[in-house]
Amino acid sequence: MPHVGSAVSAHAAGGHASVTSITAPRASTPEVEPVTSTVSLVERPVAPVRTVPLRHGHGTAGIARYRALLLAGDVAGAALAWLATTQLGQLLGLGALPAWGLVLLAAWWVGVLTANRGYESFRLGVGSDELRSVFRSAAHTLIGAALLGALLQSSLVLTGVLVATAAATVLALLTRLALRRWLHAARRHGHYLQDTLVVGSLAHVSDLADRLLSEPDAGMRVVGYCVPRQEVAAAREAGLTVLGDTEHVRTVVMALGVRRVAVASGQSPSYLRELAWSLENLDTNLLVHPGVVEVAGPRMHLRPMIGLPLLQIEQPHFSGWRPVAKRATDILLSAFGLLVGAPLMLGIALAIRLSDGGPAFFRQVRVGRNGRTFTMLKFRSMHVDAEAMLARLKAANEGAGPLFKMASDPRITPVGRLLRRTSLDELPQLINVLLGTMSLVGPRPPLPTEVTEYERDVRRRLLVVPGLTGLWQVSGRSALSWEDSVRLDLRYVENWSLGSDLLILWKTAFAVLARRGAY
């Protein structure tokens, strides 16, 4: 009996919908004879599939280009790091590093990244595995540098490699983050998406497909569905493009050249085993939704127990050393931001005061961790009687759920509109971060009136400290629906980590510069 290996794939820091990736072995067993009985299921017209249109290129071409650019960037980064280190050594009078070191470092850096699976297709462009491979490579390079320095008995070589490795690591991370922005932008416009067949019962396939289509950064383009034979008619009536039944997935894959098969939750182990066997010797990835929502890959681990691979879900990190490290990071970065931004904040305060004579700051009660209230600070961007005007504007609310939003809110002053477009009105919240009532990254701090309308699951947003920025900030801000905002906040609560916080801060800078969803 062939063995089917499996691994958990995380699409997210982001945090995309989690799936278990089952890689069918390229065994030498005879291929299963293609079944042709599905022809009758696809010969009559069906409704168009709900999908992002594919315009130019496909997923394989996009990843190949991504990998080539990544490899070139890593080689260039290693070379620049070595040259910069050489110049620094000469300036400090440490002498010149040997020229062969440049070639050795570049070859070693690419080799160790390859060994740490930094160029594998399914790790590129999504999730945090790609970034973690850089840190693992840096650790291995430092170990190699220590051994080389000891072998050559040269502190110059050891120091040079240490500095060069640090520089190469930073450059490698910047290269990956920049290339991700290019790849994700291309995918959002319909480029470099891999054709994906969704398999499962009618009750589950639509939900999985909607989740995949709502996050094109994952690079999947749903082209059709395979449902149980008895549900084919109902699926077509629901508007799904049914390409076959669940017993003939291989036939559909071979006919269309599909590169990914995504199986919705609820399928039996025996069916998954048979499906994996049927896809052997085909260049197709099998992805299985584990049925666990809003849980990112770092919290999921496959454990071989009682002869079966069981999925272990770690508890969210609400205590221990991680929150302490997060708090220390908040203190350091908020103090630095207040120190550097003090002149700008003073200028903004004067501009607000001179515009209409009102106070520079706006104070509002918000709800923080565990339901405790606090006073949140912002630069005032509305007229002083904005709260009184709110009752008259309720009918014009463009927000969803308990949120009130208007793209052309008459309560906003001219100075305030500029502050909101540039997000400078939120700078005083650094004081809240320093005091501990807010964090740099976290869910949006809600109003008490919003919290009273929270359902049980939404109240989990209150388990962590609210943030100045968060997933909602880098995913559309005011343009998000209430449901999407809640989903992103809950995803953050369940899966936050220091690494994801740093990535969100990085993305926030671009979101602010692009002014996406800010009004």
Side-chain angles (χ1 to χ4, degrees):
M1 178 182 298
H3 172 70
V4 179
S6 59
V8 173
S9 173
H11 288 294
H16 297 282
S18 300
V19 294
T20 301
S21 175
I22 302 180
T23 305
R26 301 295 181 255
S28 57
T29 56
E31 291 192 10
V32 178
E33 190 67 18
V35 181
T36 59
S37 59
T38 55
V39 174
S40 61
L41 296 176
V42 297
E43 62 186 11
R44 63 185 180 89
V46 293
V49 68
R50 295 170 293 171
T51 182
V52 178
L54 187 65
R55 297 180 180 177
H56 300 288
H58 50 83
T60 303
I63 288 298
R65 181 177 296 182
Y66 185 99
R67 185 188 291 109
L69 292 173
L70 203 59
L71 183 62
D74 288 337
V75 172
L80 288 174
W82 184 262
L83 292 175
T85 304
T86 300
Q87 294 297 320
L88 179 63
Q90 291 178 339
L91 290 175
L92 297 178
L94 299 177
L97 293 170
W100 53 263
L102 189 154
V103 178
L104 178 62
L105 179 64
W108 171 273
W109 186 236
V110 171
V112 76
L113 280 169
T114 302
N116 282 292
R117 308 171 76 178
Y119 300 110
E120 290 190 356
S121 298
F122 72 91
R123 295 174 181 267
L124 300 181
V126 293
S128 57
D129 283 349
E130 181 184 7
L131 303 181
R132 283 202 295 268
S133 68
V134 175
F135 290 109
R136 287 195 297 268
S137 299
H140 293 160
T141 301
L142 293 178
I143 294 173
L147 294 175
L148 181 63
L151 181 64
L152 299 178
Q153 295 184 346
S154 171
S155 58
L156 174 62
V157 171
L158 176 60
T159 303
V161 174
L162 292 179
V163 175
T165 300
T169 301
V170 173
L171 291 172
L173 292 173
L174 293 177
T175 298
R176 280 157 176 76
L177 292 173
L179 285 176
R180 278 194 181 201
R181 287 186 58 80
W182 163 76
L183 183 63
H184 291 173
R187 284 175 170 173
R188 283 192 290 269
H189 287 84
H191 308 288
Y192 305 131
L193 302 175
Q194 287 193 327
D195 290 349
T196 303
L197 179 68
V198 179
V199 178
S201 64
L202 180 58
H204 296 95
V205 292
S206 293
D207 179 65
L208 175 57
D210 288 342
R211 295 293 300 274
L212 295 178
L213 295 172
S214 67
E215 301 186 30
D217 292 356
M220 286 185 271
R221 173 181 181 261
V222 176
V223 295
Y225 303 82
C226 283
V227 298
R229 180 177 294 275
Q230 65 272 19
E231 296 181 350
V232 169
R236 284 204 172 101
E237 291 176 1
L240 303 184
T241 299
V242 180
L243 301 177
D245 61 35
T246 51
E247 299 303 318
H248 300 133
V249 175
R250 178 185 174 91
T251 303
V252 176
V253 169
M254 293 179 65
L256 300 181
V258 174
R259 303 302 301 273
R260 292 186 179 184
V261 174
V263 182
S265 60
Q267 301 303 307
S268 67
S270 60
Y271 174 77
L272 293 176
R273 179 181 58 193
E274 295 290 341
L275 179 60
W277 288 348
S278 72
L279 296 178
E280 288 180 8
N281 303 306
L282 298 181
D283 190 15
T284 301
N285 293 322
L286 178 60
L287 308 171
V288 180
H289 192 294
V292 182
V293 297
E294 304 303 352
V295 177
R299 285 183 54 203
M300 297 193 298
H301 306 278
L302 283 177
R303 304 299 188 198
M305 299 179 183
I306 60 173
L308 292 174
L310 300 181
L311 193 63
Q312 176 181 328
I313 308 296
E314 291 183 359
Q315 295 297 320
H317 304 303
F318 299 135
S319 60
W321 66 269
R322 292 179 178 85
V324 175
K326 179 181 177 71
R327 178 63 187 143
T329 303
D330 284 341
I331 293 174
L332 290 175
L333 294 182
S334 62
F336 177 77
L338 288 170
L339 182 64
V340 173
L344 175 61
M345 294 177 67
L346 179 60
I348 294 174
L350 289 175
I352 296 172
R353 290 283 294 175
L354 293 174
S355 64
D356 61 6
F361 293 98
F362 173 70
R363 294 172 173 83
Q364 191 175 49
V365 176
R366 296 291 181 111
V367 180
R369 186 180 183 186
N370 296 325
R372 291 190 294 267
T373 58
F374 68 96
T375 301
M376 188 183 74
L377 299 175
K378 296 180 70 174
F379 281 124
R380 183 173 60 86
S381 60
M382 293 186 175
H383 295 288
V384 291
D385 59 346
E387 292 296 322
M389 297 172 61
L390 180 60
R392 301 196 303 269
L393 298 172
K394 282 288 188 181
N397 183 19
E398 299 174 6
L403 297 178
F404 178 87
K405 291 289 183 181
M406 285 185 66
S408 300
D409 196 328
R411 300 175 299 164
I412 302 177
T413 65
V415 174
R417 195 167 300 280
L418 175 62
L419 294 178
R420 288 192 168 208
R421 287 292 184 186
T422 57
S423 297
L424 293 175
D425 61 319
E426 299 176 359
L427 281 178
Q429 292 176 36
L430 290 173
I431 299 174
N432 290 112
V433 175
L434 189 61
L435 295 176
T437 54
M438 291 181 65
S439 175
L440 288 174
V441 182
R444 187 189 66 84
L447 293 165
T449 54
E450 297 173 15
V451 175
T452 59
E453 300 182 32
Y454 278 2
E455 297 180 358
R456 182 174 179 271
D457 58 337
V458 183
R459 295 191 69 87
R460 287 188 65 83
R461 300 169 85 185
L462 306 179
L463 291 176
V464 298
V465 180
L468 189 153
T469 185
L471 282 177
W472 49 274
Q473 174 88 335
V474 300
S475 303
R477 304 167 74 181
S478 297
L480 291 173
S481 68
W482 167 250
E483 291 76 14
D484 287 339
S485 177
V486 169
R487 176 175 56 83
L488 291 172
D489 277 346
L490 292 180
R491 177 183 298 174
Y492 175 82
V493 170
E494 297 293 335
N495 304 295
W496 81 268
S497 65
L498 294 177
S500 66
D501 280 3
L502 294 176
L503 186 59
I504 289 172
L505 289 173
W506 170 268
K507 290 185 176 181
T508 297
F510 290 98
V512 171
L513 291 175
R515 303 180 184 180
R516 294 197 301 267
Y519 55 81

